[in-house]
C-alpha cells in the first residue's frame, strides 16, 4: 500500500518537473528572505536540476554561525515549532518549522510508516524521545496523520515500556535500534517474551545500525525491522525509509533533493558509488537548506524498486564521515566493526569501541558482550574460561580480515556495556574518557 500514490509512484520525468519547479521557488525564496543565501547565491540561478551542483554547500557550521535564528526565512511569529539536533558536539543547532512545514513533515512520515506496514487504526508505541529531539514528535505526528492510535511513551524509564508493551500489545514499535534491544533484554530478564507481543513491524533509526542488529531486533521482537532516516536540519525523521522490499531507503525526493558527493572534493560521485549525502529542501519555508552536507555516508541504489515507488533510493547509512576512525592510517566506520561482530552468534549487539590516543599511533580495542546463547553453551561466564580466549582470537582474526587492522578484542561480562535509552554511545576516547555519539 502507498500512502500517496500520486506523489510516490509518479513517473520519474514528472517528478523531475516538480523538483525543478520547487527548486526554483526555494532558491528564490532563500535569496529573497535570508541574507546569508542572498550573499552566497548572488547572481546564481538554476535553469536545470544539474545546475544545482554549481551552488555552494551549506554546512552545520553555517547554522552555528547564525545561531539561533539567523537563517530563518520567516519572522519568528510565523514559526510554529522549534526543534534541535541531538548532537553532543558543541551547541545544539536549532531548526524551525512553519505550519506548512509541519504538514509536509507529517505527510512524509505517513509515507514512511505506511511503507513499513503502518495502517489506520494501528496502535503505535513511540519510544523515541519527545522534546527538542525530532524523533518522538516526528513519529507521533505522522502516526496521527495516518489515523493510528499513538502511545507517546518517549525514551527512558524502561520498566514503563515493558508494562505498556505487554498490556497494550501495539502493532508497531518506533525506537532507536539500541534502545529497542535494551527494552527486549529487560523484558526477557523479567520473564516476558518480546517475540510474543504480537508486533507486526518495528521502525528504527536515528543512529547507524547494521544488518546484524536488524537480525537481532527481528529475532527479539518476532517482526520485520524497518530503517527510517532523517536529520533535524532537513526535517527530522521522514527524509527516507524502507519499503517492504527493503532494498534501500526511498528518499522523499519531491521534498528533499539528494546528491552524493566525494567528501573531500565535493564533486558528485559516479552513480552507485559511496559518498556523502547532500540534501536540498524543496518545500521548506522556515529554514530552507540548499546543498546541506549531512556528513552521512551512503550510495544511490540503481534502478527502480519492485514496490512501485519511483523515488531514488539510498543504501543504509554507513555512518558519519566525521565519526570515521583513522587508526594507523586505516579508515574504519564503527558500522563495519559492528557488522563483523554481529556475524558471530557468540556475540551480543552490545559493544563499545575504545580509541586510545595515548601512544603515537592510536590503538583501537573492542569491548563486547557474549550472546546469552553462548553463555548458556559455555555453562556461564567467568574469567579465564577457555571458550573466551577462542572467541576473542577468532573475532580478532575476522576483524583483521574485514578492516585490515589488528584490534584488541575483550569479551566483557553480560550487562556491563552501558545500555542506551536514545542514541547509543559506541566510541569511547581514552585517555580523556570523552565519548561521542555515533
Ligand atoms: O536522529 C532524526 C531521526 C529520528 C531519524 C528518529 C530517524 C528516527 P538528528 O538528531 O538531527 O535527527 O540526527 C541526525 O542521525 O545525520 C545520521 O547521522 C543519524 N541517523 C538518523 N537516522 C539514521 C538511520 C534524527 N536510519 C543524524 N541510520 C543523521 C543511520 C541515522 N544513521
Amino acid at each position: 500500500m502507498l500512502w500517496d500514490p500520486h506523489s510516490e509512484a509518479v513517473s520519474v520525468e514528472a517528478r523531475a518537473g516538480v523538483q525543478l519547479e520547487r527548486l526554483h521557488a526555494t532558491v528564490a525564496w532563500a535569496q529573497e528572505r535570508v541574507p546569508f543565501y542572498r550573499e552566497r547565491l548572488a547572481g546564481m540561478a538554476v535553469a536545470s536540476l544539474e545546475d544545482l551542483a554549481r551552488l555552494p554547500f551549506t554546512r552545520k557550521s553555517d547554522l552555528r554561525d547564525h545561531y539561533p535564528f539567523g537563517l530563518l526565512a520567516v519572522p519568528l511569529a510565523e514559526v510554529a515549532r522549534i526543534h534541535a539536533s541531538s548532537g553532543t558536539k558543541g551547541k545544539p543547532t536549532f531548526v524551525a518549522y512553519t505550519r506548512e512545514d509541519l504538514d509536509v513533515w507529517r505527510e512524509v512520515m505517513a509515507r514512511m510508516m505506511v511503507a513499513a506496514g503502518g495502517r489506520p487504526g494501528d496502535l503505535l508505541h513511540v519510544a523515541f524521545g519527545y522534546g527538542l529531539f525530532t524523533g518522538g514528535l516526528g513519529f507521533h505526528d505522522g502516526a496521527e496523520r495516518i489515523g493510528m492510535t499513538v502511545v507517546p511513551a518517549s525514551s527512558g524509564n524502561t520498566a514503563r515500556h515493558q508494562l505498556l508493551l505487554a498490556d497494550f500489545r501495539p502493532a508497531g514499535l518506533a525506537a532507536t535500534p539500541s534502545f529497542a534491544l535494551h527494552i527486549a533484554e529487560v523484558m526477557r530478564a523479567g520473564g516476558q517474551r518480546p517475540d510474543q507481543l504480537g508486533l507486526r513491524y518495528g521502525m528504527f533509526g536515528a543512529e547507524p545500525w547494521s544488518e546484524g542488529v536488524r537480525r537481532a531486533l527481528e529475532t527479539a521482537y518476532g517482526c520485520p525491522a524497518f530503517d527510517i532516516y532523517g536529520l533535524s536540519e532537513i526535517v527530522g525523521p521522514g527524509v527516507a525509509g524502507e519499503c517492504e522490499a527493503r532494498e534501500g531507503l526511498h528518499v522523499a525526493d519531491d521534498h528533499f533533493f539528494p546528491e552524493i558527493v566525494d567528501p573531500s572534493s565535493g564533486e558528485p560521485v559516479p552513480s552507485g558509488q559511496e559518498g556523502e549525502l547532500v540534501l536540498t529542501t524543496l518545500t521548506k519555508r522556515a529554514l530552507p537548506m540548499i546543498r546541506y552536507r549531512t556528513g552521512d555516508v551512503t550510495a544511490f541504489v540503481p534502478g527502480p524498486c519492485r514496490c512501485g515507488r519511483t523515488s531514488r533510493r539510498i543504501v543504509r547509512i554507513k555512518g558519519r564521515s566525521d565519526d570515521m576512525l583513522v587508526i594507523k592510517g586505516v579508515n574504519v566506520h564503527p558500522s563495519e566493526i559492528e557488522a563483523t561482530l554481529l556475524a558471530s552468534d557468540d556475540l551480543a549487539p552490545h559493544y563499545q569501541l575504545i580509541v586510545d590516543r595515548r601512544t603515537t599511533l592510536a590503538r583501537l580495542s573492542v569491548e563486547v558482550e557474549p550472546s546469552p546463547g553462548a553463555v548458556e553453551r559455555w555453562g556461564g561466564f567467568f574469567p579465564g574460561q577457555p571458550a573466551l580466549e577462542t572467541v576473542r582470537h577468532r573475532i580478532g582474526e575476522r576483524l583483521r580480515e574485514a578492516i585490515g587492522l589488528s584490534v584488541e578484542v575483550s569479551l566483557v561480562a553480560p550487562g556491563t556495556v552501558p545500555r542506551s535509552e536514545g542514541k547509543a554511545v559506541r566510541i569511547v576516547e581514552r585517555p580523556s574518557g570523552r565519548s561521542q555519539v555515533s
Side-chain angles (χ1 to χ4, degrees), residues 86 128 133-134 206-208 227-228 230-232 296 317 320 423:
S86 55
F128 280 111
F133 177 51
T134 51
E207 64 186 5
D227 194 356
I228 293 194
L231 62 165
S232 348
D296 293 322
I317 304 288
R320 298 186 53 79
K423 301 195 186 212

Side-chain angles (χ1 to χ4, degrees), residues 136-369:
L137 282 166
F139 276 83
H140 186 110
D141 282 357
E144 284 190 349
R145 176 77 186 89
I146 295 174
M148 290 173 154
T149 308
V150 192
V151 182
S154 195
S155 55
N157 200 344
T158 312
R160 194 173 51 196
H161 289 278
Q162 198 179 345
L163 177 95
L164 295 174
L165 287 167
D167 292 353
F168 293 0
R169 301 181 69 79
L173 167 67
T176 60
S178 54
F179 188 39
L181 285 174
H182 178 45
I183 296 173
E185 190 183 34
V186 170
M187 289 188 86
R188 280 193 301 257
Q192 286 167 305
R193 293 277 309 265
D195 59 339
Q196 303 287 310
L197 287 171
L199 278 168
R200 287 203 338 262
Y201 49 91
M203 296 176 288
F204 305 104
E207 64 186 5
W209 54 303
S210 62
E211 283 303 313
V213 167
R214 184 186 330 250
R215 278 194 301 277
L217 284 165
E218 294 187 339
T219 310
Y221 287 105
C223 69
F226 293 86
D227 194 356
I228 293 194
Y229 165 79
L231 62 165
S232 348
E233 296 91 314
I234 298 301
V235 80
V239 172
E242 285 178 324
C243 63
E244 65 274 17
R246 298 197 292 171
E247 287 163 1
L249 287 78
H250 288 274
V251 180
D253 58 2
D254 49 343
H255 294 286
F256 318 112
F257 188 86
E259 299 170 83
I260 297 183
V261 304
D262 178 322
S264 39
S265 70
E267 293 300 318
V269 296
S271 187
Q273 208 164 299
E274 200 170 83
E276 180 180 341
L277 180 66
V278 171
L279 291 165
T280 298
T281 61
L282 297 176
T283 47
K284 283 263 296 272
R285 310 285 287 177
L287 199 63
M289 282 287 137
I290 296 180
R291 302 198 84 210
Y292 185 73
R293 298 281 296 248
T294 65
D296 293 322
V297 178
T298 182
F300 283 124
V301 178
C305 184
R306 56 195 158 96
C307 72
R309 292 175 183 81
T310 50
S311 45
R312 291 213 85 172
R313 285 172 294 157
I314 53 172
V315 300
R316 67 159 64 242
I317 304 288
K318 194 168 181 184
R320 298 186 53 79
S321 41
D322 54 7
D323 274 345
M324 190 172 69
L325 300 167
V326 184
I327 308 287
K328 296 180 187 152
V330 178
N331 298 347
V332 198
H333 278 286
S335 63
E336 292 168 302
I337 298 182
E338 178 179 296
T340 304
L341 296 178
L342 297 193
S344 162
D345 62 6
D346 286 327
L347 301 181
H350 304 296
Y351 70 95
Q352 272 191 325
L353 309 181
I354 319 291
V355 184
D356 187 343
R357 298 189 194 277
R358 284 173 293 194
T359 47
T360 332
L361 286 176
R363 290 161 57 91
L364 177 64
S365 56
V366 177
E367 292 184 354
V368 58
E369 293 179 14

Side-chain angles (χ1 to χ4, degrees), residues 120-137:
D122 280 358
L123 193 75
L124 178 71
H125 182 99
V126 180
F128 280 111
Y130 280 64
L132 285 170
F133 177 51
T134 51
L137 282 166

